[in-house]
């Protein structure tokens, strides 16, 4: 039993659940987030390779099926797995900070706001907590994301595809590649709105499920039922996330294109056009992000329940 006991003098958000939010709780959330993001992003590498190339070279890669066929024809099946290493490492680190720090910041901001304000402005706390967590998560992700994009968008044979060799080349050519944090601003622009939408809509959809459809107390439902609600809510939230963050995601992909060497974000935006940034490769990304987000939340909550914690949201 935890020795972490509630203070008697004031309300504390860390004790709202039947399981106290102590350091062990946060560590379990951090581990669950690392597994959720690392596994799902790595598994989605083939779709990510095609999506990234559609964004970087829309003339050659026109859609998911045709783009994948083109890559396999030119590079073999190994071509659709380019960037697997930095994807796995980068998103494992990002997921740990994203989910773990979200729980920390959510409790912190609720305690700053106090009991009454926390209840009244719960959605605002979801937004601020997720944005704060993602700020730090992207710093952990950025070097690996830049490496992944460079591997995936470089013409076949022009850049190493092996993880270690690619990292070395990024460092050796850091004036050109702007490694390790050259993409941090567009990454923040993509990931912070994405994560805010991801957590805000997930928490909101889960709450709607337990308010209007599954109206008995949450704990009365079986864990498979709760995890089914988790996956469905995550998938729906992921669709919204894909639309919100797509323009910035396209810019990140275009920055890895050799034709855009030395160009700033503003120049790339102006040359590409807002409509293209917002729509090119969007359908592929919706498939990718919807599926990915649904499974991320499912893996995260599955790990939490296996570790003796409750599923996320709904209260």
């Amino acid at each position: 039993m935890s020795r972490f006991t509630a203070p008697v003098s004031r309300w504390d958000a860390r004790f709202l659940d039947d399981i106290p939010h102590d350091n062990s709780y946060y560590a379990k959330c951090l581990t669950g987030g690392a597994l959720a993001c690392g596994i799902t992003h790595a598994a989605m590498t083939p779709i990510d390779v095609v999506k990234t190339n559609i964004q970087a070279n829309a003339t050659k890669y026109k859609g998911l099926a045709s783009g994948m066929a083109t890559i396999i024809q030119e590079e073999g099946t190994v071509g659709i797995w380019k960037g697997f290493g930095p994807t796995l490492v980068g998103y494992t680190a990002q997921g740990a900070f994203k989910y773990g720090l979200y729980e920390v910041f959510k409790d912190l901001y609720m305690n700053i706001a106090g009991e009454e304000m926390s209840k009244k402005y719960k959605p605002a706390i979801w937004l601020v907590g997720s944005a704060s967590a993602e700020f730090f998560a992207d710093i952990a992700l950025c070097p690996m994301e830049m490496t992944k994009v460079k591997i995936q968008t470089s013409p076949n044979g022009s850049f190493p595809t092996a993880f270690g060799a690619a990292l070395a080349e990024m460092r050796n050519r850091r004036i050109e590649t702007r490694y390790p944090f050259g993409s941090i601003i567009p990454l923040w622009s993509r990931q912070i709105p994405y994560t805010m939408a991801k957590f805000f809509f997930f928490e909101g959809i889960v709450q709607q499920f337990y308010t209007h459809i599954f109206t008995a107390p949450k704990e009365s439902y079986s864990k498979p039922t709760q995890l089914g609600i988790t996956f469905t809510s995550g998938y729906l939230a992921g669709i919204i996330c894909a639309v919100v963050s797509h323009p910035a995601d396209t810019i990140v992909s275009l920055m890895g294109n050799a034709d855009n060497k030395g160009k700033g974000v503003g120049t790339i935006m102006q040359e590409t056009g807002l409509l293209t940034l917002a729509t090119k490769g969007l359908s592929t990304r919706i498939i990718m992000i919807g599926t990915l987000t649904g499974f991320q939340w499912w893996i995260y909550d599955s790990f939490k329940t296996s570790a003796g914690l409750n599923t996320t949201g709904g209260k």
Side-chain angles (χ1 to χ4, degrees), residues 135 138-140 142 146 180-189 255:
F135 178 87
D138 289 341
I139 294 173
C142 191
M146 292 183 69
F181 296 112
S183 292
I184 191 63
I185 292 177
L187 194 59
W188 278 329
S189 300
M255 289 182 72

Side-chain angles (χ1 to χ4, degrees), residues 187-202:
L187 194 59
W188 278 329
S189 300
R190 179 188 83 184
Q191 288 296 135
I192 290 178
Y194 164 83
T195 298
M196 292 172 73
K198 175 179 182 174
F199 283 82
F200 175 84
F201 286 106
F202 173 81

Side-chain angles (χ1 to χ4, degrees), residues 44-53 56 61 71 75 79-84 86-87 145-156 159-161 253 256:
M44 297 293 286
T45 297
I47 294 177
D48 190 32
V49 169
V50 178
K51 181 269 302 178
T52 302
N53 279 282
Y61 304 97
I71 293 170
E75 304 178 38
I80 61 173
W81 288 99
K82 291 189 301 184
F84 177 88
T87 297
E145 179 74 358
M146 292 183 69
T147 304
K148 180 209 76 168
V149 170
K150 188 66 175 176
I151 291 171
Q152 292 178 344
T153 59
S154 296
N156 190 26
F159 192 83
T161 57
S253 296

Side-chain angles (χ1 to χ4, degrees), residues 157-187:
S158 66
F159 192 83
T161 57
F163 187 15
L167 284 178
E169 191 68 7
M170 290 291 286
R171 288 193 296 267
N172 293 338
R173 294 162 56 177
R174 56 185 173 271
I175 294 177
E176 171 194 338
T177 62
R178 292 171 283 185
Y179 182 85
F181 296 112
S183 292
I184 191 63
I185 292 177
L187 194 59

Side-chain angles (χ1 to χ4, degrees), residues 245-261:
S245 62
H246 192 69
D249 182 67
T250 305
I251 291 172
V252 172
S253 296
L254 287 170
M255 289 182 72
N257 194 321
D259 294 339
N260 292 319
K261 176 183 176 181

Side-chain angles (χ1 to χ4, degrees), residues 271-294:
E271 291 178 353
T272 307
L274 183 59
L275 181 62
T276 299
L277 289 174
T279 60
K280 186 60 64 177
L282 178 59
S283 60
T284 302
R285 191 157 189 263
I286 285 175
I287 295 170
M288 173 184 168
I289 297 299
T291 305
L292 183 147
T293 305

